[in-house]
Amino acid sequence: MENPIRTGGRILVDQLLAQGCERIFTVPGESFLAVLDALHDTPAIQTVTCRQEGGAAFMACADGTLTHRPGVAFVTRGPGATNAAIGVHVARQDSQPLILFIGDVDRATRDREAFQEIDFQAMFAPLAKWAARIDDAARIPEYVARAYAVAMNGRPGPVVLALPEDMLLETVAAVDRPRVERLPQGCDEAALDHFADLLATAERPVAIVGGAGWDNLAAQDFAAWADRTGVPVVAAFRRQDAIPNACPSYAGNLGYGPNPKLVERIRAADLLIVAGPRLGEATTDGYTLVTPDHPGQRLVHVHPDANELGQTYRTDLAICAGMADFAEAIAAIDGPPRAGGAEAHADWLAWSTPAARDGVTMDLGPCVAAMRAALPADTIICNGAGNYSGWWHRYWPYAAPGTQLAPTAGAMGYGLPAAVAAALRHPERQVVALAGDGCFLMNGQELATAVQHDADLLVLVIDNNGYGTIRMHQERTFPGRVSATGLSNPDFAALARAYGCWAETVERTEDFAPALHGAQQRRGVRLLHLRTDIEVITAGTTLAALAR
């Protein structure tokens, strides 16, 4: 039969198949049993059973980043949806394509505050690009196709669809929809001419790259253009993999604790070419490094969503285009050759070369150096939020798009779930999860998910017995008055072994490289518990220095 009679659950899974979905992340709930039943007969879609809905949503965020198609998560109503909301927030701020399906109360009991009932359209409206409820099973193909289109096009982001339980159980005829693709976004010829004029007259241009839509071709094209023109290329906060860091014009990254020489280069620029980023608070140091009006600087802003252009910044030239289209289009625009790119790259090389710090028993800089020597260039580095991540932001060279999974939204607990998703998506590659002690215990239970699904990954838990970032701010604002930032932690290596992982504790810098080698000789989930001193609060300073 062309349009067979099917349950809503079966129709929904068939639409996921049509859209090329290969994997969903879920914490099961009775509100979408019909979907789980359909997945039972659908081996083409792997069902990854997670231990908390926040972890499931983070995994879907990471999967969407790696595939450029929506990551898919299923959770139940009420507590499931509220737990998963953190993933929706991250997908929104990080421009990640995501579809969150939420099992919902029966249609007949709606608006009675039924068991675990929430108005999901109202709840997720500020967080999602689109939030809707499917009340008619025959319209599931329409809603799913639209969800894919909304999640991928323009500025990518999250879509939330609520699924009444009884709707999923009813049997109807439905017309399947074909696969939805991301729409190409070419560049306007007049805009390119204007861009060429601005570049030709600029003495100190700097490009800032990031945002969504960077793939290998876009990265290579843009890096080749920067190399040829000598324009320094700077990465936005936690988007260091937008172009290969080996590019001779790569200048480093903005965000927290950037290279002071890079900051001065941005301030001195007379033309900023912003390709992809929204220029948010973290990248611009609270809108002070690049101010909304940026006097003395001209600004070219390239972004795939017209609504972002001119929203915050005075823009001299706005170009609504995808990154691949823009990078290809500027290949013929050279401008006068400059030495700025090579100079900026030399500054970055000096800044990003780890050096041992005197008197530090467990020094993370040399640990990153040991990782650089031992791990493949295309290793996928996944981290959550916390000062510990700064060592890798400063010292790890990112080889290509899809090698850095890190939340620009600053969400703790992201690193391990993201690494699980990356390991399942790319079993042939090395995947590393980074987490502070506070960060790890927000989603550490997903070690069970990783072991259950035979993921192959390395986890580093950097343990300084505290919420380090908040302690840093505390010492700056209220020196000597420590409050609520100390932590009493478990033996993380023993905890990992209880989950079925191989684990080892490292307390001295010189012991890290042998421990890493031991981990690399094994397969599966391996965890290194690194005990550090909170006094060494960042890669560049100490608590004592902050208190002076």
Side-chain angles (χ1 to χ4, degrees), residues 380-384 403-406 414-416 418-420 422 431-435:
I380 303 174
I381 302 291
C382 313
N383 64 265
T403 57
Q404 182 182 38
L405 294 175
Y414 180 90
L416 178 58
V420 174
V431 176
V432 178
L434 306 173

Side-chain angles (χ1 to χ4, degrees), residues 13-300:
V13 171
D14 286 345
Q15 304 318 301
L16 294 178
L17 282 171
Q19 295 302 330
C21 177
E22 300 168 331
R23 181 174 294 114
I24 65 106
F25 303 92
T26 187
V27 175
E30 70 272 22
S31 58
F32 58 98
L33 289 176
V35 174
L36 297 175
D37 182 68
L39 288 167
H40 179 273
D41 300 324
T42 312
I45 297 179
Q46 181 186 20
T47 301
V48 179
T49 305
C50 306
R51 298 308 180 99
Q52 206 259 13
E53 291 87 356
F58 280 157
M59 291 181 201
C61 287
D63 200 48
T65 298
L66 291 170
T67 64
H68 301 287
R69 293 186 67 80
V72 177
F74 279 85
V75 301
T76 198
R77 58 199 175 220
T82 51
N83 282 341
I86 187 171
V88 178
H89 178 246
V90 167
R92 180 71 175 199
Q93 289 220 327
D94 285 38
S95 302
Q96 297 170 323
L98 167 75
I99 301 177
L100 176 67
F101 292 99
I102 303 172
D104 202 1
V105 300
D106 287 354
R107 290 168 291 185
T109 60
R110 189 180 178 188
D111 297 328
R112 292 176 174 172
E113 198 179 343
F115 180 61
Q116 298 180 338
E117 182 181 6
I118 294 176
D119 183 343
F120 295 116
Q121 288 170 271
M123 172 183 171
F124 285 102
L127 298 179
K129 288 186 71 177
W130 179 45
R133 173 187 173 97
I134 308 177
D135 283 319
D136 182 354
R139 294 184 64 188
I140 289 175
E142 171 192 341
Y143 276 87
V144 172
R146 179 177 171 185
Y148 269 81
V150 171
M152 289 190 295
N153 285 306
R155 176 188 171 191
V159 169
V160 177
L161 292 179
L163 311 169
E165 183 177 1
D166 60 321
M167 182 276 296
L168 293 173
L169 290 166
E170 72 178 358
T171 56
V172 300
V175 180
D176 295 337
R177 290 282 181 100
R179 179 182 170 102
V180 174
E181 301 293 349
R182 182 177 173 89
L183 298 174
Q185 291 183 281
C187 296
D188 177 74
E189 290 295 331
L192 290 174
D193 290 342
H194 190 183
F195 173 72
D197 291 340
L198 290 172
L199 182 64
T201 57
E203 296 181 359
R204 298 174 303 282
V206 174
I208 304 176
V209 298
W214 291 93
D215 57 19
N216 286 331
L217 184 58
Q220 291 166 10
D221 285 347
F222 199 91
W225 174 82
D227 182 23
R228 191 171 61 253
T229 60
V231 174
V233 182
V234 183
F237 176 57
R238 291 185 166 172
R239 289 297 177 263
Q240 291 162 249
D241 64 342
I243 71 165
N245 294 179
C247 169
S249 286
Y250 181 72
N253 63 292
L254 296 175
Y256 301 107
N259 184 352
K261 290 186 177 181
L262 176 59
V263 171
E264 288 308 308
R265 189 174 295 276
I266 296 292
R267 294 192 190 282
D270 59 354
L271 174 64
L272 294 176
I273 304 161
V274 181
R278 296 184 300 113
L279 286 184
E281 181 179 1
T283 295
T284 62
D285 191 18
Y287 306 100
T288 61
L289 178 58
V290 182
T291 66
D293 290 307
H294 49 89
Q297 293 179 324
R298 291 174 293 179
L299 176 67
V300 175

